[in-house]
Amino acid sequence: GAGVSQSPSNKVTEKGKDVELRCDPISGHTALYWYRQSLGQGLEFLIYFQGNSAPDKSGLPSDRFSAERTGGSVSTLTIQRTQQEDSAVYLCASSLAGASYNEQFFGPGTRLTVL
Amino acid sequence: AQSVTQPDIHITVSEGASLELRCNYSYGATPYLFWYVQSPGQGLQLLLKYFSGDTLVQGIKGFEAEFKRSQSSFNLRKPSVHWSDAAEYFCAVVDGGSQGNLIFGKGTKLSVKP
């Protein structure tokens, strides 16, 4: 079956613009995670969804970052008023359910460049 | 706070040689530990995981890892490296109290010499 897909694969934007990043999880996976991979900070957790709810948003770096999930499936990560420090690869992962022992399957990521 | 340390940023080994990538964690209870591999332009692929029980765990692609509580380590090993193993390797621990959120090490980039 299909894995986790993300779009776009690359996004170049100008400072101050808003961007939307999309994640399509594996069908049937109720848990969805967003991570950010940057040169300086490595891989960092951003937000966790169980179904359409986000019980853990603790990793979102500022209020410019938001995310939603609809239909228990597709998720969108939105960054408003982008800054150069937002440049990173944004990775999405899904798992059968939100539990420590469930394997997370990762998408290929969206590389965001803010000029 | 929990953390994962991968002391080696970059390692180069010859093809056919053995490999050991180091990982140290900081966590009070029994950790849930993972090793992931990331090839250029790809997402992360799970190599193996440790939750409990046998401290030597086998993974895909001929990798294994040993959990040593006394040393707070979870080192990844492979007896004979292939050129296709060149990639970046990440050790991770589940953030305690979370619903599976992963805390990653900074990664070790593996280069393989012919």
Side-chain angles (χ1 to χ4, degrees):
Chain A
V4 177
S5 61
Q6 293 185 246
S7 60
S9 55
N10 280 284
K11 176 72 176 178
V12 180
T13 190
E14 294 179 346
K15 178 181 171 181
K17 295 287 180 72
D18 297 352
V19 296
E20 285 189 351
L21 312 180
R22 177 188 170 107
C23 172
D24 281 271
I26 292 172
S27 177
H29 281 192
T30 63
L32 188 147
Y33 306 80
W34 283 97
Y35 295 87
R36 179 169 71 172
Q37 185 174 22
S38 59
L39 280 177
Q41 301 300 318
L43 272 154
E44 305 171 285
F45 164 77
L46 296 178
I47 187 169
Y48 156 68
F49 285 92
Q50 179 57 44
N52 292 335
S53 301
D56 189 347
K57 305 178 183 179
S58 61
L60 295 178
S62 77
D63 58 8
R64 296 187 296 104
F65 287 72
S66 63
E68 65 175 10
R69 189 177 183 194
T70 56
S73 180
V74 172
S75 176
T76 302
L77 177 69
T78 301
I79 309 173
Q80 295 179 309
R81 305 181 302 281
T82 53
Q83 303 294 310
Q84 288 183 333
E85 61 262 30
D86 299 334
S87 295
V89 176
Y90 290 82
L91 293 167
C92 174
S94 70
S95 68
L96 276 172
S100 302
Y101 48 81
N102 282 327
E103 177 181 351
Q104 293 182 30
F105 294 83
F106 283 80
T110 293
R111 180 176 296 278
L112 175 66
T113 303
V114 182
L115 301 177
Chain B
Q2 292 167 256
S3 64
V4 175
T5 302
Q6 293 180 247
D8 305 304
I9 297 173
H10 190 188
I11 284 182
T12 300
V13 300
S14 297
E15 190 167 17
S18 63
L19 171 71
E20 182 168 27
L21 303 182
R22 296 184 291 164
C23 172
N24 293 96
Y25 67 89
S26 171
Y27 186 61
T30 299
Y32 289 178
L33 293 159
F34 303 81
W35 273 101
Y36 283 87
V37 61
Q38 185 178 37
S39 299
Q42 303 295 313
L44 295 163
Q45 181 182 24
L46 180 67
L47 286 175
L48 46 78
K49 59 189 176 186
Y50 172 79
F51 292 153
S52 65
D54 195 350
T55 57
L56 185 64
V57 293
Q58 302 297 320
I60 62 171
K61 304 185 180 187
F63 285 93
E64 65 178 28
E66 186 171 12
F67 172 65
K68 293 186 178 180
R69 184 187 301 276
S70 62
Q71 298 177 18
S72 297
S73 70
F74 188 57
N75 294 349
L76 182 72
R77 302 194 295 246
K78 186 169 185 178
S80 177
V81 168
H82 187 262
W83 64 266
S84 61
D85 293 324
E88 191 153 19
Y89 292 79
F90 293 91
C91 182
V93 66
V94 172
D95 190 356
S98 77
Q99 295 300 311
N101 309 349
L102 295 171
I103 298 171
F104 287 90
K106 297 290 189 186
T108 297
K109 184 175 180 180
L110 173 66
S111 297
V112 180
K113 292 190 300 187

